[in-house]
């Protein structure tokens, strides 16, 4: 893949990512302009998913948004990891990828209607399978050139066939409701389990760890962008009233704290980056561990706009759970993923675990205090955690 002429430096290390260093198959790799274009399509899909958080006052919209985010996130992972392993950024790769991205657009179009009509359910399921077919075609094309990808291609093809039984079968054969969504959940669990069941095939395939880390960082920025869009839209609709301005300022502080927390940390053990490159177990922990990390950010981001828009009223249960539960999940996940590399005694790990507990402990009080405090309190806790994490261990 041709490199983009970005400045010759690595992005700031995240708490999930060890310091940069070359892996066994790794040459200097940066995200290409085409990869960034592909991310734009996922921006639309993420937005349609997170907007469901504000669709009602109960827990249902939060649960629906979280459930829909998982297949969307996994679709992005499939394309990002595939490009990381085997992408020469040639015309054939671009055309096949664009065909798959049409299906991703379908995910964005149908995400808002899943659970309300059979047509939306079917469209979402078929779009997911279409996006998956695009990744399969890309692996098949590149495996003719790089035979190290053949075992991975076979494993992905088998997983895709089984996934199709769940997703298409649930959409076309099962009635709308718990049965259909239970079948889909089973299919999603199977999709997530495939990398764990095919560790040997994964280990044989080439990969670029610095590039992979950069790609996950960029997707994190996409998800955080929904928080910024949410509170700015809330301010526009609230006509910048006094309570909305205070809540918007707290929302910005929370977004900045989440960004700071992800991209800045101290005390990473030297050599962990080499382990990520060489150990498929750690690679799976890193990749799959980003699901709760970015899910927490997405749910929190979707709730932030609702909080700002309703700044003059007490928070609903759904909004409070979205913000505080999302932030706590993010902190817990970053701590556990990092612990796989550094151990549980690491300063950052302990700081994240304590902060996650403190954020979760705010939930019982969220409905009895002004909305801006529900955003300002976790923002303050994130700032204190960041200060503690930068102290010498």
């Amino acid at each position: 893949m041709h490199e983009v002429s970005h400045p010759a430096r690595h992005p700031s290390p995240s708490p999930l990512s060890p310091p940069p260093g070359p892996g066994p198959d790794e040459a200097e790799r940066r995200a290409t302009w085409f990869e960034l274009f592909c991310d734009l399509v996922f921006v639309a899909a993420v937005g349609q998913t997170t907007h469901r958080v504000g669709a009602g006052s109960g827990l249902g919209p939060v649960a629906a948004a979280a459930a829909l985010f998982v297949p969307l996130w996994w679709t992005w992972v499939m394309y990002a990891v595939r490009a990381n392993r085997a992408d020469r950024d040639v015309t054939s790769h671009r055309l096949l990828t664009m065909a798959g991205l049409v299906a991703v657009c379908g995910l964005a179009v149908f995400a808002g209607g899943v659970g309300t009509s059979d047509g939306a359910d079917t469209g979402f399921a078929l779009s997911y399978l279409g996006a998956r077919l695009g990744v399969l075609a890309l692996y098949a094309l590149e495996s003719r050139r790089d035979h190290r990808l053949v075992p991975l291609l076979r494993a992905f093809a088998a997983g895709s066939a089984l996934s199709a039984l769940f997703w298409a079968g649930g959409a076309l054969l099962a009635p709308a409701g718990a049965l259909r969504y239970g079948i889909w959940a089973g299919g999603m669990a199977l999709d997530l389990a495939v990398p764990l069941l095919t560790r040997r095939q994964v280990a044989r395939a080439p990969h670029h760890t610095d590039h992979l880390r950069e790609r996950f960082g960029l997707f994190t920025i996409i998800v955080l962008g929904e928080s910024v869009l949410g509170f700015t839209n809330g301010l526009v609709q609230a006509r910048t009233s006094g309570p909305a301005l205070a809540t918007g300022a707290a929302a910005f502080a929370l977004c900045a704290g989440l960004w700071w927390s992800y991209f800045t940390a101290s005390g990473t053990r030297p050599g962990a980056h080499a382990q990520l490159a060489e150990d498929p177990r750690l690679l799976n922990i890193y990749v799959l561990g980003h699901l709760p990390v970015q899910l927490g950010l997405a749910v929190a981001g979707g709730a932030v706009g609702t909080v700002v828009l309703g700044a003059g009223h007490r928070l609903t249960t759904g909004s409070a759970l979205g913000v505080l539960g999302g932030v706590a999940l993010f902190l817990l996940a970053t701590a556990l993923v990092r612990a796989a590399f550094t151990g549980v005694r690491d300063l950052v790990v302990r700081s994240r675990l304590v902060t996650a507990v403190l954020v979760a402990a705010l939930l019982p009080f969220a409905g009895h205090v002004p909305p801006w405090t529900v955003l300002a309190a976790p923002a303050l806790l994130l700032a204190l955690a960041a200060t503690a994490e930068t102290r010498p261990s």
Side-chain angles (χ1 to χ4, degrees):
M1 195 184 264
H2 302 296
E3 296 179 7
V4 180
S5 55
H6 296 318
R9 62 180 181 83
H10 293 280
S12 300
S14 86
L16 303 185
S17 306
D25 293 313
E26 189 165 10
E28 179 72 14
R29 277 282 306 275
R30 302 305 301 267
T32 66
W33 297 121
F34 183 62
E35 285 179 298
L36 299 180
F37 168 75
C38 295
D39 283 350
L40 286 177
V41 180
F42 285 94
V43 168
V46 169
Q48 291 300 314
T49 301
T50 58
H51 288 170
R52 293 195 60 151
V53 173
S57 58
L59 300 180
V62 178
L68 289 168
F69 181 81
V70 177
L72 171 61
W73 175 86
W74 188 240
T75 301
W76 179 86
V77 168
M78 288 189 292
Y79 277 91
V81 171
R82 198 285 316 169
N84 177 264
R85 294 187 181 284
D87 192 353
R88 290 174 288 125
D89 197 20
V90 295
T91 299
S92 56
H93 282 225
R94 288 184 176 185
L95 291 176
L96 280 175
T97 302
M98 287 182 178
L101 291 178
V102 172
V104 177
C105 291
L107 291 176
V109 169
F110 295 112
V114 172
T116 62
S117 72
D118 280 343
D121 284 7
T122 302
F124 187 84
L126 296 181
S127 295
Y128 175 73
L129 293 178
R132 192 179 183 97
L133 181 62
V135 179
L136 180 62
L138 285 161
Y139 271 128
L141 175 65
E142 192 62 18
S143 65
R144 299 167 59 185
R145 177 177 175 270
D146 188 345
H147 295 296
R148 293 176 296 175
L149 295 172
V150 172
L152 189 61
L153 169 65
R154 292 171 179 167
F156 190 84
S160 296
L162 289 173
S163 179
L165 294 177
F166 283 86
W167 284 90
L172 301 177
L173 303 178
L179 177 59
R180 172 180 292 172
Y181 304 130
I183 293 173
W184 283 5
M188 195 69 250
L190 172 67
D191 289 345
L192 296 174
V194 167
L196 304 176
L197 300 173
T198 58
R199 286 197 333 192
R200 292 183 179 180
Q201 292 88 337
V202 169
R204 295 171 190 165
H207 60 271
H208 299 259
T209 53
D210 272 341
H211 174 256
L212 189 67
R213 185 185 66 153
E214 182 184 34
R215 296 297 292 126
F216 275 96
L218 289 170
F219 194 71
T220 299
I221 291 293
I222 288 174
V223 178
L224 279 172
E226 289 303 313
S227 298
V228 177
L229 185 62
F231 79 73
T232 53
N233 283 342
L235 285 173
V236 170
Q237 295 180 55
R239 300 185 182 278
T240 61
S241 64
L245 286 175
T247 311
F252 176 80
L254 178 60
C255 294
L258 290 168
W259 173 87
W260 197 295
S261 182
Y262 181 88
F263 286 100
T264 307
S266 63
T268 303
R269 182 166 55 84
H273 189 278
Q275 285 182 298
L276 181 63
E278 297 165 1
D279 188 339
R281 181 186 66 87
L282 289 177
L283 184 63
N284 282 331
I285 290 173
Y286 179 81
V287 172
L288 295 175
H290 267 82
L291 172 55
V293 170
Q294 293 170 333
L295 174 60
L297 292 175
V299 170
V304 161
T306 304
V307 174
V308 175
L309 183 59
H313 306 84
R314 298 301 185 199
L315 258 65
T316 64
T317 302
S319 295
L321 181 64
V323 173
L324 299 175
V327 173
L329 178 62
F330 162 79
L331 288 165
L332 177 63
T334 56
L336 295 180
V337 173
R338 185 181 173 93
F341 295 92
T342 64
V344 295
R345 295 185 178 181
D346 177 63
L347 171 65
V348 175
V349 172
R350 289 180 287 139
S351 171
R352 299 295 166 90
L353 292 175
V354 170
T355 308
V357 171
L358 293 175
V359 170
L362 297 173
L363 270 170
F365 309 100
H368 306 286
V369 295
W372 70 268
T373 62
V374 180
L375 301 179
L380 177 60
L381 290 172
L382 286 169
L384 293 174
T387 302
E389 290 167 11
T390 55
R391 294 175 56 190
S393 53

